Amino acid sequence: MKAAIIYTSVTGNTTFIAETIQENMEKRNVATDLIPVDEFHPERLHEYDIIAVGMYTWANGEIPIEMEEVYDAFETEDLKHTVTGVFGSGDSFFAHYCGAVDLFRDMLYVHTNLAVTLKIELMPQEPDLVKCEKFCDRLLQETLVIQ
Amino acid sequence: MSTINQPLTKIKLLNPTYPNKSTGIINGESSGLLNWNDIAYPQMYDLYQTLLANFWKAQEINMQDDIKQWDSLTDVEKDIFLRVNTQLASLDSLQTPTMSHVMDYVTDSSFKAIFAVISQQEAVHNESYSYVLSSLIPLREQNERFNQAKEDPIVKKRNEIILESYEAFRQDPTPQRLFELGINSINLEGIYFYAGFAFFYNLARQQKMLKTSTMISYIQRDEMQHAYFIAQFVRILLTENPELNTEENIQYIYKAIDHAVQLEKEWSNFILKDIEGINLEEFHGYVEYLANKRFRQLGLENYYPNREENPMPWIHVFSDEMMNETKSDFFEQKSRTYTKVSSSNGFDEL
């Protein structure tokens, strides 16, 4: 089984979550590639059983522009059976807290086997680390269901 | 003398032999020319654009509804309304010149540009308070209210700490003082505004003075991004200048923000005590929750235990739908092609 985490980060909050998820996946014996969005290749999506996508959200809850290619790839490649999860950081004072996660979620639900979403406010704290563990458990659980 | 206590020199406007991409946010080599495509921290371009996308001006908001409603407010509501308005105006008055002052000592042109935008936005905030006042009360009363704000002992005590730090930097602009100015600026924009915001949003919850609250919501949106930028600025400042990144300075952050929290609680005890719909204890919890967020923005840990949950989620920026704005960017249009799904569709939301 092979997993990938595709992410973008500005302040490092999302990077921290991405790295935490990678560690947790490796701990569960799943080889996991950590892919910053500028190293992303659409054709390689098929190599993975599990893909987690992560991004930050600013202000009005839009998807960061650099994630456009990833978004398009999920729409056009056939990934119906890939188990996916989407995570992100944001600030709940804005009207659309982690809005980018929601937008990605709605699309992934249609085009992939979406298992789990995760929102974290700014720099992850202790309770958030527990959520990162659950995030990985949920991804693996879904993979086992398929097999 | 350590470099962190040596005065920063004002950089020349143009330094043709230096690169356009600055070698540091302070004491860096920079030509003075700005090409946004060649900057040291590319994410600053996103932030600059986000700030510009906020653009608004007071006159866009028609005050007629609020003018009609004004007389139906209770005397206590009117009094607090005016106190809060002039107190917030006083804070913004400090912020406009301070942000442009900092520009002189920052060597990275992209940061200079962002400080310029922030300064401009603070000027708009300042004006918007005047605009609200001019709609509601005559000049004589406005002047009385500003005098009241200048003399109020609690307001004075709060402002003094900020002023001291800002003045210290004016007198002797060292890296250490710039760092301290940044933290005080986060207190001003990220803590001190919130008892006031709570007051206005609480009125809005009762469908009162909605135009004023719309303006407050615009201001909060700007201020949140300012506090966010300053936090990034401080983090970069500490990273680029390890001699500033000391245990002592980390303790300074915890102490200064905690002090601001205590002062905001004190101010709220005074200003919100007779306001129906606001529980003071809950508001104190809110301020601690808010401060925890500031610590996290600075890459530090929560300082107040058990304050992960927001006890007053209604204090937040109005959504665009609420403000009747129409915004159509690529993704928002695109997202509408998918139905909104939730955990009832068979996945987990953590």
Side-chain angles (χ1 to χ4, degrees):
Chain A
M1 202 182 323
K2 220 174 148 196
I5 301 167
I6 305 160
Y7 71 100
T8 180
S9 181
V10 171
T11 63
N13 293 338
T14 307
T15 304
F16 185 88
I17 307 169
E19 287 169 354
T20 307
I21 290 171
Q22 188 200 28
E23 277 170 34
N24 286 333
M25 293 301 278
E26 300 271 346
K27 224 164 58 188
R28 288 162 177 74
N29 297 317
V30 182
T32 305
D33 293 340
L34 196 56
I35 308 169
V37 69
D38 52 2
E39 293 167 22
F40 164 76
H41 296 284
E43 64 281 3
R44 292 194 52 196
L45 285 177
H46 296 279
E47 294 172 18
Y48 303 100
D49 308 285
I50 299 174
I51 302 174
V53 185
M55 73 214 79
Y56 57 90
T57 301
W58 272 354
N60 262 333
E62 295 141 29
I63 294 174
I65 195 78
E66 65 273 21
M67 292 300 281
E68 191 177 321
E69 201 190 350
V70 181
Y71 190 96
D72 288 345
F74 275 104
E75 282 186 306
T76 46
E77 304 284 324
D78 179 18
L79 298 160
K80 201 75 203 138
H81 301 292
T82 308
V83 173
T84 58
V86 53
F87 62 92
S89 60
D91 187 327
S92 65
F93 281 15
F94 288 109
H96 303 281
Y97 171 50
C98 290
V101 169
D102 293 341
L103 293 177
F104 241 90
R105 171 200 65 198
D106 296 345
M107 182 277 293
L108 288 176
Y109 177 74
V110 172
H111 295 285
T112 69
N113 182 2
L114 176 67
V116 62
T117 69
L118 167 65
K119 296 179 178 182
I120 289 178
E121 182 152 38
L122 308 168
M123 187 70 185
Q125 302 290 303
E126 212 50 49
D128 298 316
L129 299 179
V130 179
K131 286 185 181 178
C132 290
E133 297 264 1
K134 277 193 194 154
F135 184 86
C136 298
D137 286 338
R138 192 64 186 79
L139 286 173
L140 284 173
Q141 200 187 328
E142 195 64 32
T143 321
L144 296 177
V145 170
I146 301 172
Q147 289 175 344
Chain B
M1 194 161 61
S2 156
T3 51
I4 61 168
N5 294 315
Q6 264 164 24
L8 295 162
T9 43
K10 277 194 192 180
I11 188 171
K12 273 192 188 163
L13 279 177
L14 208 58
N15 304 283
T17 56
Y18 289 160
N20 295 340
K21 185 203 272 191
S22 181
T23 59
I25 53 173
I26 55 167
N27 291 326
E29 292 186 347
S30 165
S31 72
L33 297 177
L34 173 56
N35 174 7
W36 280 107
N37 306 312
D38 182 27
I39 54 177
Y41 298 93
Q43 67 268 35
M44 287 302 146
Y45 192 31
D46 294 334
L47 186 64
Y48 168 82
Q49 289 178 325
T50 308
L51 284 171
L52 281 195
N54 287 356
F55 184 83
W56 62 282
K57 54 181 189 170
Q59 283 73 15
E60 287 168 4
I61 297 158
N62 185 335
M63 287 294 291
Q64 281 311 315
D65 294 349
D66 283 19
I67 293 169
K68 278 186 217 148
Q69 247 182 356
W70 177 245
D71 284 327
S72 68
L73 296 190
T74 66
D75 287 345
V76 172
E77 283 171 337
K78 278 186 193 165
D79 176 49
I80 302 301
F81 186 104
L82 296 171
R83 277 178 193 270
V84 169
N85 181 303
T86 48
Q87 180 252 343
L88 293 178
S90 318
L91 290 177
D92 275 333
S93 306
L94 304 180
Q95 209 62 357
T96 310
T98 302
M99 291 297 110
S100 42
H101 182 235
V102 166
M103 275 170 69
D104 280 344
Y105 299 93
V106 168
T107 42
D108 186 308
S109 304
S110 64
F111 284 76
K112 276 183 197 283
I114 292 175
F115 276 113
V117 175
I118 290 180
S119 185
Q120 175 268 327
Q121 292 184 331
E122 296 297 349
V124 170
H125 301 172
N126 210 155
E127 182 218 349
S128 69
Y129 296 118
S130 309
Y131 176 70
V132 170
L133 282 181
S134 72
S135 319
L136 302 176
I137 55 170
L139 180 61
R140 180 186 45 77
E141 208 181 333
Q142 294 174 32
N143 286 335
E144 282 169 17
R145 288 295 179 164
F146 271 107
N147 288 336
Q148 188 183 38
K150 279 189 272 186
E151 283 151 20
D152 189 310
I154 305 177
V155 174
K156 261 172 135 172
K157 191 161 109 189
R158 285 151 57 85
N159 292 358
E160 245 160 46
I161 302 164
I162 306 276
L163 274 171
E164 238 169 62
S165 161
Y166 287 8
E167 279 298 347
F169 182 73
R170 290 178 87 83
Q171 300 307 326
D172 192 12
T174 64
Q176 176 64 28
R177 288 179 174 187
L178 181 58
F179 157 76
E180 291 171 10
L181 179 148
I183 302 303
N184 282 284
S185 178
I186 289 171
N187 282 338
L188 189 155
E189 300 189 307
I191 306 280
Y192 276 6
F193 278 114
Y194 281 78
F197 287 165
F199 172 76
F200 288 118
Y201 287 139
N202 186 54
L203 281 183
R205 287 206 293 176
Q206 305 164 42
Q207 302 298 311
K208 289 179 184 167
M209 306 303 277
L210 285 171
K211 300 298 177 188
T212 303
S213 273
T214 301
M215 208 168 317
I216 290 296
S217 172
Y218 285 135
I219 292 173
Q220 190 194 353
R221 188 178 59 185
D222 292 346
E223 296 298 355
M224 280 168 55
Q225 280 155 359
H226 297 180
Y228 170 85
F229 166 73
I230 302 286
Q232 291 302 304
F233 178 76
V234 168
R235 283 169 84 162
I236 293 170
L237 189 67
L238 294 186
T239 309
E240 284 190 357
N241 301 276
E243 64 280 13
L244 277 177
N245 199 356
T246 58
E247 187 48 36
E248 221 177 340
N249 275 344
I250 300 302
Q251 286 314 314
Y252 177 90
I253 298 177
Y254 281 117
K255 246 196 207 148
I257 295 184
D258 181 51
H259 194 195
V261 165
Q262 304 317 325
L263 289 169
E264 188 66 5
K265 287 180 186 171
E266 191 184 12
W267 173 241
S268 73
N269 290 344
F270 171 65
I271 206 93
L272 301 176
K273 67 173 184 296
D274 296 321
I275 301 300
E276 210 175 304
I278 299 180
N279 175 319
L280 282 178
E281 209 145 301
E282 206 172 62
F283 184 75
H284 292 177
Y286 177 82
V287 180
E288 292 185 358
Y289 161 83
L290 184 65
N292 273 348
K293 285 179 62 158
R294 302 295 167 230
F295 289 121
R296 272 153 36 219
Q297 276 175 335
L298 286 160
L300 301 176
E301 304 210 331
N302 282 345
Y303 182 72
Y304 304 99
N306 308 318
R307 293 286 182 220
E308 286 94 15
E309 293 291 323
N310 182 354
M312 295 181 150
W314 47 270
I315 307 177
H316 75 76
V317 175
F318 291 177
S319 68
D320 287 342
E321 299 85 68
M322 286 163 84
M323 301 210 246
N324 293 323
E325 260 183 21
T326 45
K327 225 180 169 183
S328 60
D329 61 89
F330 168 76
F331 277 113
E332 281 193 337
Q333 280 175 352
K334 197 161 185 163
S335 70
R336 292 196 194 98
T337 60
Y338 296 103
T339 314
K340 205 171 144 59
V341 290
S342 71
S343 53
S344 61
N345 296 79
F347 56 87
D348 284 350
E349 291 182 294
L350 299 175

